[in-house]
Amino acid sequence: MSTSLNLQRIRQQFPALNRKHDQNYVIYTDGPAGSQVPLSVAQAMHHYLMHRNANHGGYFATSIESDALLLEVRRKLAAFLNVSDPDCIVFGNNMTSLTFALSRAIAQTWNEGDEIILSHCDHDANVTPWALAARDRGVTVRWIDIDPTTCALNLDTLQKSLSSRTRLVAVGMASNAVGTVHPVTKIAELAHAAGALVFLDAVHYAPHLLIDAPATGADFIACSAYKFFGPHVGIVWGHRHLLEEIQPYKVRPASNTVPDRWMTGTQNHEGIAGVGAAIDYLASLASSGSSLRDMLVSAYNVIASHEHRLGSHFLQGVAMMDGYRVVGHGTMQDRVSTFGILHERLTAQQLSTELAARGIYSWAGNFYAQPLTERLGLEPDGMLRIGFLHYNTIEEVDRVLMALQEIGSDERS
């Protein structure tokens, strides 16, 4: 059984990785904002548009074929999430729009004096939709605080906030800004003991670690395919009884059955075709497995091992440099290979601009993780964000480290 990735074969499947800057290949460390896409995903989208393009629910061949494809992709996503009911997979524009829709619907079950709990370490898409819904219903928002040194969630603050009035706990599985992986199974256990629902944002978790929805204990999980090598399509899974009981905002002619009652208007069918191809691509990295789920488990084992190696190498390199600091965990324990970086004198924007001039693509700012940057006192500049995915190499990590060292040295001189 292989325990490593065939990086040459993998990189050949991503046309974007052939881009050059000053005779060198561009290095994509911007993956936390969206991964690059293998050719097979683009081909699947093209094939759908050229041969199966039709709206939902018709009695003619292309519509029937299109609906069959949508069901097939739901089945693949059910394996991806380790759930048994494909009809509990909901598609939408993105995680943010789906969360706004779900929060507004769930909030109709809240009453004045109820409470919800949010996290200071989350992307704002898992904060503001719930906070606005709470405001509209007269519901109190309480917070899970963080350890500012490690950016780990402080579960004592969760336990102190939980009560018989708590209706929902919403938290991310992994921070999109600093890479911290959160103990969501424990959080769900505590929340359910208080009678609250649990909504998990798995957008940043999904490209690095395989989601196991039943193991998390969550009631809802959201993710976005553009983070795990697919197109811009949002995905929400929820328990069937909740998707059937909670009343969505929908137009009258739309079906009232799951999952259609949760999908406003015509969906991005070609994008959904690309989601299926992205899951097939991930499964193709497996060295074993008799089912799609087994293959995904195998693939993610080697992905996690490779990214752990990349991340450890990067952290060791940054630790040896003067002037730089990693926000959060200084090792790969309880994190993915996403890093928030600060320099003692240079702003995040200056660092990202200098990296771009060297053909290294990165992000600077708060990355919509504004609750975290506010809590850490990093507004308005935020952080430099460097992220590595499975198609990155140790040689690329070394080039990034060399560039950071050079930029820091230039600034001192």
Side-chain angles (χ1 to χ4, degrees), residues 3-65:
T3 58
S4 62
L5 295 170
N6 184 336
L7 284 173
Q8 182 178 4
R9 184 177 69 86
I10 287 170
R11 290 176 65 86
Q12 287 173 347
Q13 297 180 65
F14 288 82
L17 301 186
N18 291 317
R19 186 183 182 106
K20 286 191 173 183
H21 176 95
D22 290 343
Q23 308 307 311
N24 291 316
Y25 288 109
V26 163
I27 299 176
Y28 294 89
T29 70
D30 63 331
S35 63
Q36 298 304 312
V37 175
L39 182 59
S40 58
V41 168
Q43 289 173 332
M45 297 172 70
H46 178 269
H47 186 271
Y48 175 86
L49 288 170
M50 296 299 102
H51 302 286
R52 291 181 173 177
N53 190 27
N55 215 323
H56 172 55
Y59 301 102
F60 50 92
T62 51
S63 182
I64 293 168
E65 291 170 7

Short mmCIF file of all heavy atoms in Angstrom, two decimals, residues 3-65:
data_model
loop_
_atom_site.label_atom_id
_atom_site.label_comp_id
_atom_site.label_asym_id
_atom_site.label_seq_id
_atom_site.Cartn_x
_atom_site.Cartn_y
_atom_site.Cartn_z
N THR A 3 2.12 4.94 0.67
CA THR A 3 1.92 5.95 1.70
C THR A 3 2.36 7.33 1.23
O THR A 3 2.49 8.25 2.03
CB THR A 3 2.69 5.58 2.98
OG1 THR A 3 4.09 5.45 2.66
CG2 THR A 3 2.18 4.28 3.56
N SER A 4 2.61 7.48 -0.07
CA SER A 4 3.03 8.76 -0.61
C SER A 4 2.27 9.05 -1.90
O SER A 4 1.70 8.15 -2.52
CB SER A 4 4.53 8.77 -0.87
OG SER A 4 4.88 7.79 -1.83
N LEU A 5 2.29 10.31 -2.28
CA LEU A 5 1.61 10.75 -3.49
C LEU A 5 2.57 10.77 -4.66
O LEU A 5 3.75 11.11 -4.50
CB LEU A 5 1.04 12.15 -3.28
CG LEU A 5 -0.05 12.30 -2.23
CD1 LEU A 5 -0.33 13.78 -1.97
CD2 LEU A 5 -1.33 11.60 -2.66
N ASN A 6 2.05 10.44 -5.83
CA ASN A 6 2.83 10.58 -7.06
C ASN A 6 2.65 12.02 -7.54
O ASN A 6 1.77 12.34 -8.33
CB ASN A 6 2.32 9.59 -8.11
CG ASN A 6 3.16 9.62 -9.38
OD1 ASN A 6 3.82 10.61 -9.69
ND2 ASN A 6 3.13 8.54 -10.13
N LEU A 7 3.52 12.89 -7.03
CA LEU A 7 3.35 14.31 -7.28
C LEU A 7 3.51 14.69 -8.75
O LEU A 7 2.84 15.60 -9.25
CB LEU A 7 4.32 15.12 -6.43
CG LEU A 7 3.92 15.24 -4.95
CD1 LEU A 7 5.02 15.91 -4.16
CD2 LEU A 7 2.62 16.02 -4.81
N GLN A 8 4.37 13.98 -9.45
CA GLN A 8 4.52 14.27 -10.88
C GLN A 8 3.21 14.02 -11.62
O GLN A 8 2.76 14.86 -12.42
CB GLN A 8 5.64 13.44 -11.48
CG GLN A 8 5.88 13.73 -12.96
CD GLN A 8 7.04 12.92 -13.53
OE1 GLN A 8 7.62 12.08 -12.86
NE2 GLN A 8 7.36 13.17 -14.79
N ARG A 9 2.59 12.89 -11.34
CA ARG A 9 1.32 12.56 -12.00
C ARG A 9 0.22 13.53 -11.56
O ARG A 9 -0.60 13.97 -12.38
CB ARG A 9 0.90 11.13 -11.66
CG ARG A 9 -0.37 10.68 -12.37
CD ARG A 9 -0.69 9.23 -12.07
NE ARG A 9 -1.09 9.04 -10.69
CZ ARG A 9 -2.35 9.19 -10.24
NH1 ARG A 9 -3.31 9.57 -11.08
NH2 ARG A 9 -2.65 8.97 -8.99
N ILE A 10 0.20 13.87 -10.28
CA ILE A 10 -0.82 14.79 -9.78
C ILE A 10 -0.68 16.15 -10.45
O ILE A 10 -1.66 16.72 -10.95
CB ILE A 10 -0.70 14.92 -8.24
CG1 ILE A 10 -1.22 13.65 -7.57
CG2 ILE A 10 -1.44 16.16 -7.73
CD1 ILE A 10 -0.93 13.56 -6.09
N ARG A 11 0.52 16.69 -10.47
CA ARG A 11 0.71 18.04 -10.99
C ARG A 11 0.43 18.13 -12.49
O ARG A 11 0.03 19.19 -12.98
CB ARG A 11 2.13 18.52 -10.65
CG ARG A 11 2.30 18.78 -9.14
CD ARG A 11 3.73 19.17 -8.79
NE ARG A 11 4.12 20.43 -9.38
CZ ARG A 11 3.89 21.62 -8.84
NH1 ARG A 11 3.25 21.73 -7.68
NH2 ARG A 11 4.29 22.73 -9.44
N GLN A 12 0.60 17.03 -13.19
CA GLN A 12 0.29 17.02 -14.62
C GLN A 12 -1.21 17.20 -14.87
O GLN A 12 -1.61 17.59 -15.97
CB GLN A 12 0.76 15.72 -15.25
CG GLN A 12 2.28 15.62 -15.41
CD GLN A 12 2.73 14.25 -15.87
OE1 GLN A 12 1.96 13.28 -15.86
NE2 GLN A 12 3.99 14.16 -16.28
N GLN A 13 -2.01 16.92 -13.87
CA GLN A 13 -3.46 17.02 -14.03
C GLN A 13 -4.00 18.43 -13.78
O GLN A 13 -5.19 18.68 -13.99
CB GLN A 13 -4.15 16.02 -13.10
CG GLN A 13 -3.81 14.58 -13.42
CD GLN A 13 -4.50 13.61 -12.50
OE1 GLN A 13 -5.74 13.51 -12.51
NE2 GLN A 13 -3.74 12.89 -11.68
N PHE A 14 -3.15 19.34 -13.32
CA PHE A 14 -3.57 20.71 -13.00
C PHE A 14 -2.91 21.69 -13.97
O PHE A 14 -1.75 22.07 -13.79
CB PHE A 14 -3.16 21.07 -11.56
CG PHE A 14 -3.98 20.38 -10.51
CD1 PHE A 14 -3.69 19.07 -10.13
CD2 PHE A 14 -5.04 21.03 -9.90
CE1 PHE A 14 -4.44 18.44 -9.16
CE2 PHE A 14 -5.80 20.41 -8.93
CZ PHE A 14 -5.51 19.10 -8.55
N PRO A 15 -3.62 22.10 -15.02
CA PRO A 15 -3.01 23.01 -16.01
C PRO A 15 -2.46 24.29 -15.39
O PRO A 15 -1.46 24.83 -15.88
CB PRO A 15 -4.18 23.30 -16.96
CG PRO A 15 -5.06 22.09 -16.86
CD PRO A 15 -4.97 21.66 -15.43
N ALA A 16 -3.10 24.80 -14.35
CA ALA A 16 -2.64 26.06 -13.75
C ALA A 16 -1.22 25.97 -13.22
O ALA A 16 -0.51 26.98 -13.16
CB ALA A 16 -3.58 26.47 -12.61
N LEU A 17 -0.79 24.77 -12.85
CA LEU A 17 0.55 24.62 -12.28
C LEU A 17 1.65 24.78 -13.33
O LEU A 17 2.83 24.82 -12.97
CB LEU A 17 0.67 23.25 -11.60
CG LEU A 17 -0.34 22.97 -10.47
CD1 LEU A 17 -0.02 21.65 -9.79
CD2 LEU A 17 -0.36 24.10 -9.45
N ASN A 18 1.26 24.90 -14.60
CA ASN A 18 2.25 25.14 -15.65
C ASN A 18 2.53 26.63 -15.87
O ASN A 18 3.39 26.99 -16.68
CB ASN A 18 1.76 24.54 -16.98
CG ASN A 18 1.74 23.03 -16.94
OD1 ASN A 18 2.67 22.41 -16.44
ND2 ASN A 18 0.67 22.44 -17.47
N ARG A 19 1.81 27.47 -15.17
CA ARG A 19 2.02 28.92 -15.33
C ARG A 19 3.42 29.31 -14.84
O ARG A 19 3.89 28.79 -13.82
CB ARG A 19 0.95 29.68 -14.54
CG ARG A 19 0.98 31.19 -14.77
CD ARG A 19 -0.05 31.88 -13.90
NE ARG A 19 -0.06 33.31 -14.15
CZ ARG A 19 -1.01 33.96 -14.82
NH1 ARG A 19 -2.03 33.29 -15.34
NH2 ARG A 19 -0.96 35.27 -15.00
N LYS A 20 4.05 30.23 -15.55
CA LYS A 20 5.40 30.63 -15.18
C LYS A 20 5.48 32.13 -14.90
O LYS A 20 4.69 32.93 -15.40
CB LYS A 20 6.40 30.27 -16.28
CG LYS A 20 6.70 28.77 -16.36
CD LYS A 20 7.88 28.48 -17.28
CE LYS A 20 8.28 27.02 -17.21
NZ LYS A 20 9.47 26.74 -18.05
N HIS A 21 6.46 32.47 -14.08
CA HIS A 21 6.78 33.86 -13.76
C HIS A 21 8.31 33.99 -13.78
O HIS A 21 9.00 33.33 -12.99
CB HIS A 21 6.24 34.22 -12.36
CG HIS A 21 6.60 35.61 -11.91
ND1 HIS A 21 5.77 36.69 -12.08
CD2 HIS A 21 7.72 36.08 -11.28
CE1 HIS A 21 6.34 37.77 -11.58
NE2 HIS A 21 7.52 37.43 -11.09
N ASP A 22 8.83 34.79 -14.70
CA ASP A 22 10.29 34.96 -14.83
C ASP A 22 11.01 33.60 -14.94
O ASP A 22 11.96 33.32 -14.21
CB ASP A 22 10.86 35.75 -13.65
CG ASP A 22 10.45 37.21 -13.69
OD1 ASP A 22 10.02 37.68 -14.77
OD2 ASP A 22 10.55 37.87 -12.65
N GLN A 23 10.50 32.77 -15.80
CA GLN A 23 11.10 31.46 -16.12
C GLN A 23 10.90 30.40 -15.05
O GLN A 23 11.30 29.25 -15.24
CB GLN A 23 12.61 31.61 -16.42
CG GLN A 23 12.95 32.67 -17.47
CD GLN A 23 12.18 32.47 -18.76
OE1 GLN A 23 12.14 31.37 -19.30
NE2 GLN A 23 11.57 33.54 -19.26
N ASN A 24 10.34 30.76 -13.92
CA ASN A 24 10.06 29.78 -12.86
C ASN A 24 8.57 29.51 -12.80
O ASN A 24 7.74 30.38 -13.08
CB ASN A 24 10.53 30.29 -11.50
CG ASN A 24 12.04 30.36 -11.40
OD1 ASN A 24 12.74 29.44 -11.82
ND2 ASN A 24 12.55 31.46 -10.87
N TYR A 25 8.21 28.29 -12.39
CA TYR A 25 6.81 27.97 -12.21
C TYR A 25 6.24 28.76 -11.03
O TYR A 25 6.88 28.91 -9.99
CB TYR A 25 6.61 26.48 -11.97
CG TYR A 25 6.83 25.64 -13.21
CD1 TYR A 25 7.97 24.83 -13.32
CD2 TYR A 25 5.93 25.69 -14.27
CE1 TYR A 25 8.19 24.07 -14.47
CE2 TYR A 25 6.15 24.92 -15.42
CZ TYR A 25 7.27 24.13 -15.51
OH TYR A 25 7.48 23.39 -16.65
N VAL A 26 5.05 29.29 -11.23
CA VAL A 26 4.34 29.97 -10.16
C VAL A 26 4.09 29.00 -9.00
O VAL A 26 3.86 27.80 -9.23
CB VAL A 26 3.00 30.54 -10.68
CG1 VAL A 26 2.04 30.88 -9.55
CG2 VAL A 26 3.24 31.75 -11.57
N ILE A 27 4.14 29.52 -7.79
CA ILE A 27 3.83 28.71 -6.61
C ILE A 27 2.50 29.19 -6.04
O ILE A 27 2.36 30.37 -5.67
CB ILE A 27 4.93 28.81 -5.53
CG1 ILE A 27 6.25 28.30 -6.09
CG2 ILE A 27 4.53 28.01 -4.29
CD1 ILE A 27 7.41 28.44 -5.13
N TYR A 28 1.53 28.30 -5.98
CA TYR A 28 0.21 28.64 -5.46
C TYR A 28 0.15 28.31 -3.97
O TYR A 28 0.00 27.15 -3.58
CB TYR A 28 -0.87 27.86 -6.20
CG TYR A 28 -1.01 28.24 -7.66
CD1 TYR A 28 -0.26 27.58 -8.64
CD2 TYR A 28 -1.89 29.24 -8.06
CE1 TYR A 28 -0.38 27.92 -9.98
CE2 TYR A 28 -2.01 29.58 -9.40
CZ TYR A 28 -1.26 28.92 -10.35
OH TYR A 28 -1.39 29.26 -11.68
N THR A 29 0.31 29.34 -3.14
CA THR A 29 0.06 29.16 -1.71
C THR A 29 -1.25 29.85 -1.33
O THR A 29 -1.51 30.09 -0.16
CB THR A 29 1.21 29.72 -0.86
OG1 THR A 29 1.23 31.16 -0.94
CG2 THR A 29 2.55 29.17 -1.31
N ASP A 30 -2.06 30.17 -2.34
CA ASP A 30 -3.34 30.82 -2.12
C ASP A 30 -4.48 29.82 -2.00
O ASP A 30 -5.66 30.20 -2.01
CB ASP A 30 -3.63 31.80 -3.26
CG ASP A 30 -3.77 31.09 -4.61
OD1 ASP A 30 -3.14 30.03 -4.79
OD2 ASP A 30 -4.49 31.60 -5.49
N GLY A 31 -4.17 28.53 -1.87
CA GLY A 31 -5.19 27.48 -1.81
C GLY A 31 -6.26 27.69 -0.76
O GLY A 31 -7.42 27.29 -0.97
N PRO A 32 -5.96 28.28 0.42
CA PRO A 32 -7.02 28.50 1.40
C PRO A 32 -8.17 29.37 0.88
O PRO A 32 -9.28 29.32 1.42
CB PRO A 32 -6.29 29.20 2.55
CG PRO A 32 -4.90 28.69 2.46
CD PRO A 32 -4.62 28.58 0.98
N ALA A 33 -7.94 30.15 -0.15
CA ALA A 33 -9.01 30.96 -0.74
C ALA A 33 -9.69 30.24 -1.90
O ALA A 33 -10.68 30.72 -2.44
CB ALA A 33 -8.46 32.30 -1.23
N GLY A 34 -9.17 29.09 -2.28
CA GLY A 34 -9.71 28.33 -3.39
C GLY A 34 -8.61 27.56 -4.08
O GLY A 34 -7.59 28.13 -4.46
N SER A 35 -8.81 26.26 -4.22
CA SER A 35 -7.79 25.40 -4.82
C SER A 35 -7.78 25.55 -6.33
O SER A 35 -8.71 26.07 -6.94
CB SER A 35 -8.07 23.94 -4.46
OG SER A 35 -9.32 23.54 -5.03
N GLN A 36 -6.70 25.07 -6.95
CA GLN A 36 -6.68 24.91 -8.40
C GLN A 36 -7.51 23.68 -8.78
O GLN A 36 -7.88 22.88 -7.92
CB GLN A 36 -5.25 24.81 -8.90
CG GLN A 36 -4.43 26.06 -8.61
CD GLN A 36 -5.06 27.32 -9.18
OE1 GLN A 36 -5.47 27.35 -10.35
NE2 GLN A 36 -5.16 28.36 -8.36
N VAL A 37 -7.79 23.54 -10.06
CA VAL A 37 -8.77 22.54 -10.52
C VAL A 37 -8.12 21.59 -11.52
O VAL A 37 -7.47 22.04 -12.47
CB VAL A 37 -9.97 23.25 -11.18
CG1 VAL A 37 -10.95 22.25 -11.78
CG2 VAL A 37 -10.69 24.14 -10.17
N PRO A 38 -8.28 20.27 -11.34
CA PRO A 38 -7.74 19.34 -12.32
C PRO A 38 -8.53 19.41 -13.63
O PRO A 38 -9.70 19.79 -13.66
CB PRO A 38 -7.91 17.97 -11.65
CG PRO A 38 -9.01 18.15 -10.67
CD PRO A 38 -8.93 19.58 -10.21
N LEU A 39 -7.87 19.02 -14.70
CA LEU A 39 -8.48 19.07 -16.03
C LEU A 39 -9.78 18.27 -16.08
O LEU A 39 -10.74 18.67 -16.76
CB LEU A 39 -7.49 18.54 -17.07
CG LEU A 39 -7.94 18.56 -18.53
CD1 LEU A 39 -8.27 19.98 -18.98
CD2 LEU A 39 -6.86 17.94 -19.42
N SER A 40 -9.85 17.17 -15.37
CA SER A 40 -11.04 16.32 -15.41
C SER A 40 -12.29 17.04 -14.93
O SER A 40 -13.40 16.77 -15.40
CB SER A 40 -10.82 15.05 -14.57
OG SER A 40 -10.52 15.39 -13.23
N VAL A 41 -12.14 17.98 -14.01
CA VAL A 41 -13.28 18.76 -13.52
C VAL A 41 -13.79 19.68 -14.62
O VAL A 41 -15.00 19.76 -14.89
CB VAL A 41 -12.89 19.55 -12.26
CG1 VAL A 41 -13.96 20.58 -11.90
CG2 VAL A 41 -12.66 18.60 -11.09
N ALA A 42 -12.88 20.39 -15.27
CA ALA A 42 -13.29 21.27 -16.36
C ALA A 42 -13.92 20.47 -17.50
O ALA A 42 -14.90 20.92 -18.13
CB ALA A 42 -12.08 22.05 -16.87
N GLN A 43 -13.39 19.29 -17.78
CA GLN A 43 -13.94 18.46 -18.85
C GLN A 43 -15.36 17.99 -18.51
O GLN A 43 -16.22 17.93 -19.39
CB GLN A 43 -13.02 17.26 -19.09
CG GLN A 43 -11.71 17.64 -19.77
CD GLN A 43 -10.74 16.49 -19.84
OE1 GLN A 43 -10.76 15.56 -19.02
NE2 GLN A 43 -9.87 16.52 -20.84
N ALA A 44 -15.60 17.65 -17.24
CA ALA A 44 -16.93 17.22 -16.83
C ALA A 44 -17.95 18.35 -16.99
O ALA A 44 -19.09 18.12 -17.43
CB ALA A 44 -16.90 16.73 -15.39
N MET A 45 -17.54 19.55 -16.65
CA MET A 45 -18.44 20.70 -16.80
C MET A 45 -18.71 20.98 -18.27
O MET A 45 -19.86 21.24 -18.67
CB MET A 45 -17.82 21.91 -16.11
CG MET A 45 -17.66 21.73 -14.60
SD MET A 45 -16.73 23.05 -13.80
CE MET A 45 -17.90 24.41 -13.94
N HIS A 46 -17.67 20.91 -19.09
CA HIS A 46 -17.83 21.12 -20.53
C HIS A 46 -18.74 20.06 -21.14
O HIS A 46 -19.64 20.37 -21.92
CB HIS A 46 -16.46 21.08 -21.20
CG HIS A 46 -16.49 21.24 -22.69
ND1 HIS A 46 -16.59 20.15 -23.54
CD2 HIS A 46 -16.45 22.34 -23.48
CE1 HIS A 46 -16.60 20.59 -24.78
NE2 HIS A 46 -16.51 21.91 -24.77
N HIS A 47 -18.55 18.81 -20.75
CA HIS A 47 -19.36 17.72 -21.30
C HIS A 47 -20.83 17.91 -20.93
O HIS A 47 -21.73 17.68 -21.77
CB HIS A 47 -18.86 16.37 -20.78
CG HIS A 47 -19.56 15.20 -21.42
ND1 HIS A 47 -20.72 14.66 -20.90
CD2 HIS A 47 -19.28 14.48 -22.54
CE1 HIS A 47 -21.11 13.65 -21.65
NE2 HIS A 47 -20.26 13.53 -22.67
N TYR A 48 -21.09 18.33 -19.69
CA TYR A 48 -22.48 18.55 -19.29
C TYR A 48 -23.12 19.63 -20.18
O TYR A 48 -24.22 19.44 -20.71
CB TYR A 48 -22.58 18.96 -17.82
CG TYR A 48 -24.01 19.32 -17.46
CD1 TYR A 48 -24.91 18.33 -17.06
CD2 TYR A 48 -24.49 20.62 -17.60
CE1 TYR A 48 -26.22 18.63 -16.81
CE2 TYR A 48 -25.81 20.94 -17.36
CZ TYR A 48 -26.68 19.93 -16.95
OH TYR A 48 -28.00 20.23 -16.71
N LEU A 49 -22.44 20.75 -20.33
CA LEU A 49 -23.01 21.85 -21.10
C LEU A 49 -23.20 21.49 -22.57
O LEU A 49 -24.17 21.94 -23.21
CB LEU A 49 -22.10 23.08 -20.98
CG LEU A 49 -22.12 23.78 -19.62
CD1 LEU A 49 -21.02 24.82 -19.56
CD2 LEU A 49 -23.48 24.43 -19.36
N MET A 50 -22.33 20.69 -23.12
CA MET A 50 -22.42 20.33 -24.53
C MET A 50 -23.42 19.20 -24.81
O MET A 50 -23.98 19.12 -25.91
CB MET A 50 -21.04 19.92 -25.06
CG MET A 50 -19.99 21.02 -25.03
SD MET A 50 -20.43 22.47 -26.06
CE MET A 50 -20.99 23.62 -24.79
N HIS A 51 -23.67 18.33 -23.81
CA HIS A 51 -24.44 17.12 -24.11
C HIS A 51 -25.64 16.86 -23.20
O HIS A 51 -26.52 16.09 -23.58
CB HIS A 51 -23.51 15.90 -24.04
CG HIS A 51 -22.36 15.97 -24.99
ND1 HIS A 51 -22.50 15.79 -26.35
CD2 HIS A 51 -21.05 16.24 -24.78
CE1 HIS A 51 -21.33 15.92 -26.94
NE2 HIS A 51 -20.43 16.20 -26.00
N ARG A 52 -25.71 17.47 -22.00
CA ARG A 52 -26.81 17.16 -21.08
C ARG A 52 -27.51 18.40 -20.55
O ARG A 52 -28.31 18.31 -19.63
CB ARG A 52 -26.26 16.37 -19.88
CG ARG A 52 -25.80 14.97 -20.19
CD ARG A 52 -25.29 14.30 -18.92
NE ARG A 52 -24.98 12.91 -19.12
CZ ARG A 52 -24.47 12.12 -18.18
NH1 ARG A 52 -24.20 12.62 -16.98
NH2 ARG A 52 -24.22 10.85 -18.42
N ASN A 53 -27.21 19.54 -21.08
CA ASN A 53 -27.69 20.80 -20.51
C ASN A 53 -29.21 20.88 -20.57
O ASN A 53 -29.79 20.94 -21.66
CB ASN A 53 -27.07 21.97 -21.27
CG ASN A 53 -27.33 23.29 -20.57
OD1 ASN A 53 -27.50 23.33 -19.36
ND2 ASN A 53 -27.35 24.37 -21.35
N ALA A 54 -29.86 20.89 -19.42
CA ALA A 54 -31.33 20.98 -19.36
C ALA A 54 -31.73 21.36 -17.94
O ALA A 54 -30.97 21.17 -16.99
CB ALA A 54 -31.97 19.66 -19.75
N ASN A 55 -32.94 21.87 -17.82
CA ASN A 55 -33.46 22.18 -16.50
C ASN A 55 -34.02 20.93 -15.84
O ASN A 55 -34.13 19.87 -16.46
CB ASN A 55 -34.53 23.29 -16.59
CG ASN A 55 -34.50 24.21 -15.38
OD1 ASN A 55 -34.25 23.76 -14.26
ND2 ASN A 55 -34.74 25.49 -15.61
N HIS A 56 -34.38 21.09 -14.58
CA HIS A 56 -34.77 19.98 -13.71
C HIS A 56 -36.23 19.57 -13.92
O HIS A 56 -37.10 20.42 -14.08
CB HIS A 56 -34.55 20.42 -12.26
CG HIS A 56 -35.05 19.48 -11.23
ND1 HIS A 56 -34.67 18.15 -11.18
CD2 HIS A 56 -35.88 19.68 -10.18
CE1 HIS A 56 -35.25 17.59 -10.14
NE2 HIS A 56 -35.99 18.48 -9.52
N GLY A 57 -36.48 18.26 -13.97
CA GLY A 57 -37.84 17.76 -13.88
C GLY A 57 -38.58 17.59 -15.18
O GLY A 57 -39.81 17.43 -15.18
N GLY A 58 -37.90 17.60 -16.33
CA GLY A 58 -38.58 17.42 -17.61
C GLY A 58 -38.79 15.95 -17.96
O GLY A 58 -38.25 15.04 -17.31
N TYR A 59 -39.55 15.73 -19.03
CA TYR A 59 -39.88 14.37 -19.46
C TYR A 59 -39.12 13.98 -20.73
O TYR A 59 -39.45 12.99 -21.38
CB TYR A 59 -41.39 14.25 -19.70
CG TYR A 59 -42.20 14.56 -18.46
CD1 TYR A 59 -42.83 15.78 -18.32
CD2 TYR A 59 -42.30 13.63 -17.43
CE1 TYR A 59 -43.56 16.08 -17.17
CE2 TYR A 59 -43.02 13.91 -16.28
CZ TYR A 59 -43.64 15.14 -16.16
OH TYR A 59 -44.35 15.42 -15.02
N PHE A 60 -38.11 14.73 -21.07
CA PHE A 60 -37.33 14.49 -22.29
C PHE A 60 -35.91 14.10 -21.90
O PHE A 60 -35.49 14.24 -20.75
CB PHE A 60 -37.35 15.72 -23.20
CG PHE A 60 -36.98 17.00 -22.50
CD1 PHE A 60 -35.67 17.44 -22.45
CD2 PHE A 60 -37.96 17.75 -21.86
CE1 PHE A 60 -35.34 18.61 -21.81
CE2 PHE A 60 -37.63 18.93 -21.21
CZ PHE A 60 -36.32 19.37 -21.17
N ALA A 61 -35.17 13.61 -22.90
CA ALA A 61 -33.92 12.89 -22.62
C ALA A 61 -32.90 13.72 -21.86
O ALA A 61 -32.34 13.25 -20.85
CB ALA A 61 -33.31 12.40 -23.94
N THR A 62 -32.62 14.95 -22.30
CA THR A 62 -31.53 15.69 -21.64
C THR A 62 -31.90 16.05 -20.21
O THR A 62 -31.02 16.06 -19.33
CB THR A 62 -31.18 16.96 -22.44
OG1 THR A 62 -32.38 17.70 -22.71
CG2 THR A 62 -30.48 16.61 -23.73
N SER A 63 -33.17 16.35 -19.95
CA SER A 63 -33.58 16.65 -18.57
C SER A 63 -33.49 15.40 -17.69
O SER A 63 -33.02 15.47 -16.55
CB SER A 63 -35.00 17.21 -18.55
OG SER A 63 -35.37 17.53 -17.22
N ILE A 64 -33.90 14.27 -18.24
CA ILE A 64 -33.81 13.02 -17.48
C ILE A 64 -32.35 12.67 -17.20
O ILE A 64 -31.99 12.27 -16.09
CB ILE A 64 -34.51 11.88 -18.27
CG1 ILE A 64 -36.03 12.16 -18.33
CG2 ILE A 64 -34.23 10.53 -17.64
CD1 ILE A 64 -36.77 11.27 -19.31
N GLU A 65 -31.51 12.85 -18.21
CA GLU A 65 -30.07 12.58 -18.03
C GLU A 65 -29.45 13.55 -17.02
O GLU A 65 -28.60 13.17 -16.20
CB GLU A 65 -29.35 12.68 -19.37
CG GLU A 65 -29.71 11.58 -20.34
CD GLU A 65 -29.17 11.85 -21.74
OE1 GLU A 65 -28.40 12.83 -21.90
OE2 GLU A 65 -29.52 11.08 -22.66
#
